[in-house]
Amino acid sequence: MTKKNESSSDRVVLKVDNLRIHYATPQGDVIAVSDISFKLYEGETLGLVGESGCGKSTTAYGILQLVQPPGYIVHGSIEVAGTEVLDLEEEELRKFRWTGLSLIPQGAMNSLNPTMRVKDQIIDVIEAHEGKQSDKEALRERIFGLFQNVGLPNRIYNMYPHELSGGMKQRVCIAMGVALHPTVVIADEATSALDVVVQRIVAQTLVKVKDEIGVSLIVIGHDMGLLAQIVDRIAVMYAGKMVEIAPVANVYAKPLHPYTQLLIESIPSIKERKPLKITEGITHDPRNPPSGCIFRLRCPFAWEHCAEVEPLPIDVEAKHEVACHLFDERFEDRRANAYATLANS
Amino acid sequence: MPTPLLQIRDASKIYYSGGFLGEKKSVVALDGFNLTIEKAPATITTIAGESGSGKTTLANLVLGFIKLTSGKIIFDGEDITDMTAEQLKVYRRNVQAVFQDPFGVYNPFYRIDHVFDLVNNHFSLSDNRSEYRDMVEAGLNVVGLYGEDVLRKYPHQLSGGQRQRIMMARAYMIKPRLIVADEPVSMVDASLRASILDAMLRLRDDHGISFLYITHDLSTAYQIGDQIYMLYQGTTAERGTALDVIDAPQHPYVQLLIDSVPVPDPTDKWDVDISLPSEEEMRTAASQGCRYYPRCPHRMDRCLEEQPPLYKMGKPKHEAACYLYEENEIAPIEPPLLENRVISTAAFDSGRRRQRERIAVAVLVVIALALGFFVGASRQPETVVETVQETVVITATALPEAAAPTEAPPTATSPPAAAPESQAIVPAFVVEPEGASDKGSIAWGADAVGEIEDADDRHLYTFAGYEGATVQLKLITGGRGLSGTGFYAPLATIFGPDAQVVLAFDRARRSHSGELTFPADGDYQIVIGADDRGRGVEVYTITIEGDEPAAPAATPMPTLPPPAFAVEPAGAVDKGTIVLGEDTVNEIEDASDRHLYGLEGIAGTTVDIKLITGGRGLSGTGFYAPLATIYDPNGEIVFYFDRARRSNSGSLTFAETGSYQLVIGADDRGRGVEVYTITFEPADA
Ligand SMILES: Nc1ncnc2c1ncn2[C@@H]1O[C@H](COP(=O)(O)OP(=O)(O)OP(=O)(O)O)[C@@H](O)[C@H]1O
Ligand code: SF4
Ligand code: SF4
Ligand SMILES: [Mg+2]
């Protein structure tokens, strides 16, 4: 039984095009995000996954124009509901954050100001954008409304963060993130620091709030189990590249990109004991990526062509694209072989 | 019988906090914990549980980093607390640690081989250079690495998985008998975890090294663990083989935990929806009885009497500490074996008693020390277990309204959501308070959880009402879930002080809520019983929410740690005096620009301070804001804002009457701010 609306519309609310972000280091630029493009549809929850250091958070910060030196955006385009974010002036951008785009940052719950009451932190977000609110009663009601959205009791209004549990703090962050009804909310590892029980509540809160307020959501995470439960599509990143974007059901049932396959295979299970499958992490220097396919140093199916030509995203079906030469029609035989190997292993 | 490798018996660890004359608090991190790891074959014993359950405390105890408050840890027949310096040295060799953050333990400026050189120096493994190199290579090979690939690299050039395996290799070289691994894979990506787990398996199987594997991740425990101990607030909720416990958990907490592990299959979504817990609060649960009582859907009065012992479950060594299994045999606690001598049970028991007494004395000593003198009184100090909990109510997803049962059409007589003022309502069904079992009182904002067996089972709760005040009542039920035609729920009737029905939930619905405006002051009663067809319910939660009329005093401002940055008044530009209630607005150019404001304080009065900044806006890490420091008439710092945030607020109670100073400067990275507004308002005006 699936209650979740799979029916995210075809209206694009966020369009990232050819975005490239570098971090300058004395030994040369680290390519954190390498010419990625993707779309986020209205009402959709998109999961962004990949191993640590693959550029997930940098992508999020890039979208929000929050990349901090020595990081910088080399090129690209980020369009939110028709607005080109990269063209915004500082002041417009400031307004746009929270209202157009908002971020629930990694470790958000630790970013709450310990010396400020919960209410004041939320009032800040509101007042910073809408000016000082004279109707205190209305403001209070509004905050209670937000509390209700995220399942917090009103009694925390006057509390300090240290008086809340981790899950409650995380929900305060969610409340702040949606306070101004942004078009797009990006939640960076919003639940990773929490216990499974609390994680589940927070994750479901996030999706519920998303539906209620009608925002579109990008969930950055590494827990494939959790993402299976809450997202509509999954974007898989590897070393700064987007290697596959697919509807969630496809990703788990028939992952296409060899790296996605690896990710799916390594999902830990509490249902059956499986032999351990050992792999190594990103094996190239991020300043000096290999020619051709970014994954070829770890890919079991790589051949000469992979070293010569970079695979571009190929549409395999609606809203599903994969960047691997195996899905190029010209190499159909190779793909069949690769899959046969896989089936036998 | 050979002595086990590790025996932990009745181990308790209490942390004390609270400073000078401050309120003394103790946190029981581990409570009467027992564990045995046999010598052979080598095993991986998992300690799992939620954050704060005492896992790390246990690791630190076994590693000898901290001392037990009471109980024993016996390694190979020797009590580690009684060890001589010489024995301890041997112990430290035998018991090695691998920690969570594989980066933290490396010095970033040294190549990897340095890690091994340090070990060699410290444990004098070998004087012979080539023999030593072979040892390193052998150690690396055990964990699936090769010296030439890693030894000349810097830590940041390796993946998290490689770094963690190097820590295993390092531990292995010392040839320990036990490795305490505290969350060794939690900072490593899933695709790389396998290599670490594999290294553990090799050390166990090929080299006879046992592991105490501490984790909150049940899936890895399931994949490689032998025995598992599920901790809940410092006690063992359940233990057994990892497969038995995870496949068929018996303890209600463990069941919830395992049920909450997300299934990596989008076609098998959480088919239940959460009713967002309306209540999660700081609870102070008495250390008496079952620790899980406040959250347990099956709790019984019995559970409050004393902590449940471990009962035997069906499978060998599978035990759960829960009174639901009271019929089962209690699992015996084996008396510890010391150097092959069995201590008689009687001696052990009296030892336990003595330890309890010792806890009491220890608490007193700590209090006395903190006060600076010894209090001779033999008062038993209050020990509280303080945790911040989430009350979780997971219920099946509501079906659409249409799915309500058809057999008992409730609509016609369904009561209004709230009683019209001073007019008693006539519910279709009333649950009578007579003969109901008294379940005590419910506080506003708290929730009560219970189970209704059948039509004869009725529960009575009392709560206080204040005339004119309004509360939200919420009754959520779960458990057996769907009946044939939809959800069902117990009936509930709420009686006012004059025994009039003031609100009723009498629909066969999964969840009820309603608002109640108290017609009068006094005690109100809720009686909950089976549904209108006599069916009980496995779990119900009833919650009363509202702003209590006599709101508890706002919590005090936490004391500020010393400021990281102070803004000095000397050389700051004098900007005059701040007027209470008025905004002061200005701009800070750069690091050399500092503003000084005067502020008149009257001893005992409190002001709310707010510093809002705007303009250049967000920095990469978030908001930034100018630093501000407030000095009292004596030049002491009494308040400050020193975080790189856009806005800050807090409150200050003036200690004396006189002239206070506020100095504002650029942020800690020297960046000015386009606009700042600072406001002082009399508190609670
Ligand atoms: N030094 C200390 N002083 C006071 N309380 C402490 C101290 N160390 C731990 N505690 C408390 O003891 C309890 C158990 O802590 P511990 O760190 O052992 O838990 P844990 O299960 O390892 O948690 P996590 O998974 O978050 O690491 C917690 O309530 C914790 O707050
Ligand atoms: S393009 Fe080649 S190397 Fe890259 S993933 Fe596909 S098969 Fe592997
Ligand atoms: S039933 Fe009782 S003993 Fe068992 S877990 Fe619940 S409260 Fe504890
Ligand atoms: Mg821990």
Side-chain angles (χ1 to χ4, degrees), chain B residues 51-179:
Chain B
S51 158
S53 59
K55 304 185 297 291
T56 300
T57 298
L58 181 63
N60 289 338
L61 285 167
V62 172
L63 289 165
F65 295 160
I66 53 174
K67 293 246 169 296
L68 279 173
T69 308
S70 71
K72 285 193 179 312
I73 296 179
I74 298 158
F75 185 81
D76 197 10
E78 302 282 353
D79 187 335
I80 70 168
T81 43
D82 302 341
M83 281 184 179
T84 61
E86 200 51 41
Q87 284 173 311
L88 259 181
K89 215 173 153 193
V90 178
Y91 180 68
R92 295 246 146 88
R93 262 188 106 121
N94 277 325
V95 180
Q96 283 294 307
V98 171
F99 293 114
Q100 178 167 16
D101 175 8
F103 203 68
V105 294
Y106 288 98
N107 184 328
F109 300 111
Y110 287 108
R111 293 177 202 272
I112 297 299
D113 47 14
H114 184 68
V115 169
F116 294 98
D117 293 346
L118 283 180
V119 173
N120 194 23
N121 293 345
H122 192 257
F123 291 98
S124 324
L125 300 176
S126 172
D127 297 337
N128 178 315
R129 209 54 214 166
S130 85
E131 184 187 51
Y132 164 66
R133 261 199 301 274
D134 289 346
M135 286 173 70
V136 172
E137 191 64 37
L140 287 171
N141 293 351
V142 168
V143 299
L145 295 173
Y146 298 94
E148 57 176 318
D149 293 343
V150 296
L151 284 176
R152 297 303 295 160
K153 291 202 167 139
Y154 287 98
H156 70 268
Q157 294 173 309
L158 301 177
S159 73
Q162 287 173 323
R163 286 197 291 263
Q164 197 59 290
R165 278 184 285 156
I166 287 167
M167 292 324 290
M168 298 262 178
R170 174 194 163 280
Y172 164 76
M173 280 176 59
I174 305 159
K175 298 274 185 293
R177 296 163 72 189
L178 180 69
I179 292 178

Side-chain angles (χ1 to χ4, degrees), chain A residues 80-94:
Chain A
V80 176
T83 307
E84 173 57 61
V85 180
L86 291 179
D87 290 345
L88 293 179
E89 296 290 323
E90 193 65 44
E91 179 59 21
E92 295 168 317
L93 195 55
R94 197 181 64 79

Side-chain angles (χ1 to χ4, degrees), chain B residues 15-16 27 29 49-58 183 386-387:
Chain B
Y15 292 108
Y16 301 98
V27 175
E50 63 191 2
S51 158
S53 59
K55 304 185 297 291
T56 300
T57 298
L58 181 63
E183 301 279 12
E386 185 201 53
T387 47

Side-chain angles (χ1 to χ4, degrees), chain A residues 54-75:
Chain A
C54 74
K56 303 183 293 286
S57 294
T58 306
T59 303
Y61 282 106
I63 293 172
L64 283 130
Q65 295 285 293
L66 282 177
V67 182
Q68 198 190 13
Y72 64 101
I73 295 184
V74 181
H75 58 233

Side-chain angles (χ1 to χ4, degrees), chain A residues 9 19 27 29 69 82 98 122 127 163 176 201 219 221 299 307 314 318:
Chain A
S9 78
L19 181 65
Q27 297 81 32
D29 277 13
W98 300 106
I122 300 180
E127 292 193 336
E163 298 173 89
M176 287 167 67
I201 299 171
V219 183
C299 181
I314 297 169

Side-chain angles (χ1 to χ4, degrees), chain A residues 176-198:
Chain A
M176 287 167 67
V178 300
L180 301 170
H181 291 204
T183 315
V184 177
V185 175
I186 304 180
D188 192 0
E189 301 278 5
T191 63
S192 346
L194 305 170
D195 296 307
V196 282
V197 177
V198 181

